[in-house]
Amino acid sequence: MNPMLKAGLALLASLAVSVAQAELRQFEMTIEEIEVEVAPNFKAKAWGFNGQVPGPLIHVREGDEVEVTVHNLTGLSHTVHWHGMFQTGTWQSDGVPHVTQHAIEPGDSYTYRFVADKVGSLWYHCHVNVNEHVGIRGMWGPLIVEPKAPSELEQQVTHDALLMFSGWSEKYADAFGDGPRPGEHLNYYSINGKSFPMSQPIRVRKGDVLRLRLFAATVPVAFHLHGHDMLVTHKDGKPLPAPYEVDVVPMQPGERVDVIVRMNNPGLWMTHDHIDHHTTNNGREHGGSMLVVEYEEIEKPDWYDWKDIEYRPDFYMIESMRKPHGLHDKDVHRGRPLM
């Protein structure tokens, strides 16, 4: 067979497979007024996608057509920006008020349509008055686009955990429509909407391969895991040509970094933000952006902070990432409705 003809037939076959694998994913999301308990003795008003902080996990495959209808059930206007998505030919779904759309007014709805043409750890957030809506009101959630051809290392992962870092302001916690000015001090810090010790452990066994998808949703982060080095494999969703090992991962707001850790050192291992005041609750030490990676083989001492914790494994969306592709609500992130 002519080599050019053979190559052309191979290309057509691969395109046919790609088309067959792509699916139309249709979802609905609400924006609701809620109250979330971030830390002991600290609650804040938030606008939650489907009443949750973070918002529901949206997990699709590369090439899927995504259609999300968003219903605004709050008293102020909002949009949804799909951060990292190229929006090739669909700029009207980029979610920027007064540029790509009119903001979704209270009681109205808007449908976003795009092809998931960028893979990896992406996210979504409001683009109205970002300093308040995103910065202290919890208007963000994860969007994971699975590649058609995951690497050999990605296929070895046994636990896929999502960590979204954010800050909160006690000063503005009770007043929708008002928020910190740029550079104004925040006094609570959280992972997936909770400050230590109200966050959760990640439980593993020796031999597991843990993938941590780290999202600096609203604050800078210097993430450190004790007892292990982390292999940095992806930046802002894209695989790195030369992964490298670190023990601290620095990120600026909006950035995402994926790391893979081989669990080979049984123990109870703290992770924390190396920006020191991020590990406090309103200045009180041993709080904020902290969690413990627990090896199940290790007996918990009586004095251990989480010895008798009610374990909620989907706090880091580990269970949801194992489910079929779709939109996954999580009761563990649901706030108290205010309307």
Side-chain angles (χ1 to χ4, degrees), residues 30-211:
T30 58
I31 304 172
E32 304 173 24
E33 295 181 359
I34 59 174
E35 180 182 71
V36 292
E37 186 175 13
V38 177
N41 303 313
F42 173 61
K43 297 179 181 179
K45 289 183 177 178
W47 288 301
F49 291 107
N50 284 6
Q52 303 164 50
V53 177
L57 166 65
I58 298 178
H59 186 195
V60 299
R61 293 188 78 249
E62 179 184 1
D64 282 350
E65 297 179 50
V66 181
E67 181 179 293
V68 186
T69 300
V70 180
H71 308 284
N72 182 5
L73 307 183
T74 78
L76 290 176
S77 300
H78 304 284
T79 66
V80 183
H81 170 58
W82 309 93
H83 190 120
M85 192 60 63
F86 292 128
Q87 298 293 353
T88 306
T90 53
W91 61 267
Q92 298 93 334
S93 287
D94 197 43
V96 182
H98 313 300
V99 176
T100 64
Q101 69 171 100
H102 183 71
I104 312 172
E105 300 291 346
D108 287 349
S109 303
Y110 190 88
T111 299
Y112 298 89
R113 298 180 178 89
F114 54 89
V115 173
D117 57 357
K118 182 175 179 179
V119 301
S121 301
L122 313 183
W123 63 303
Y124 59 90
H125 59 81
C126 184
H127 222 292
V128 175
N129 189 10
V130 173
N131 206 55
E132 181 196 4
H133 294 210
V134 181
I136 63 165
R137 300 287 177 215
M139 292 200 72
W140 32 266
L143 169 60
I144 304 299
V145 181
E146 182 181 324
K148 293 175 182 174
S151 69
E152 182 179 343
L153 180 57
E154 288 177 291
Q155 294 178 55
Q156 296 175 25
V157 169
T158 60
H159 293 60
D160 202 336
L162 282 61
L163 284 64
M164 305 192 76
F165 298 86
S166 65
W168 304 83
S169 170
E170 186 177 43
K171 179 179 178 180
Y172 299 101
D174 295 326
F176 282 127
D178 195 10
R181 283 38 175 183
E184 196 168 354
H185 179 64
L186 303 175
N187 55 344
Y188 287 90
Y189 298 88
S190 65
I191 303 174
N192 291 356
K194 299 290 185 185
S195 301
F196 186 86
M198 293 185 66
S199 51
Q200 284 271 318
I202 293 176
R203 288 186 177 166
V204 297
R205 297 191 67 84
K206 185 176 181 180
D208 282 336
V209 178
L210 174 64
R211 180 178 190 162

Side-chain angles (χ1 to χ4, degrees), residues 290-331:
M290 301 171 66
L291 69 94
V292 179
V293 176
E294 300 177 348
Y295 280 76
E296 294 181 17
E297 300 95 318
I298 300 300
E299 185 176 351
K300 313 301 187 294
D302 289 339
W303 38 260
Y304 173 53
D305 279 331
W306 282 340
K307 177 174 172 48
D308 298 315
I309 193 172
E310 180 190 356
Y311 181 48
R312 310 287 295 275
D314 214 26
F315 183 82
Y316 301 105
M317 295 163 254
I318 294 171
E319 291 182 332
S320 290
M321 284 295 293
R322 293 170 176 152
K323 294 178 180 178
H325 298 96
L327 182 149
H328 301 289
D329 290 314
K330 304 168 297 300
D331 287 341

Side-chain angles (χ1 to χ4, degrees), residues 246-265:
V246 300
D247 71 0
V248 176
V249 178
M251 295 187 291
Q252 289 298 313
E255 288 187 309
R256 289 90 61 214
V257 174
D258 291 15
V259 301
I260 288 181
V261 188
R262 294 193 180 276
M263 310 314 299
N264 56 12
N265 188 11

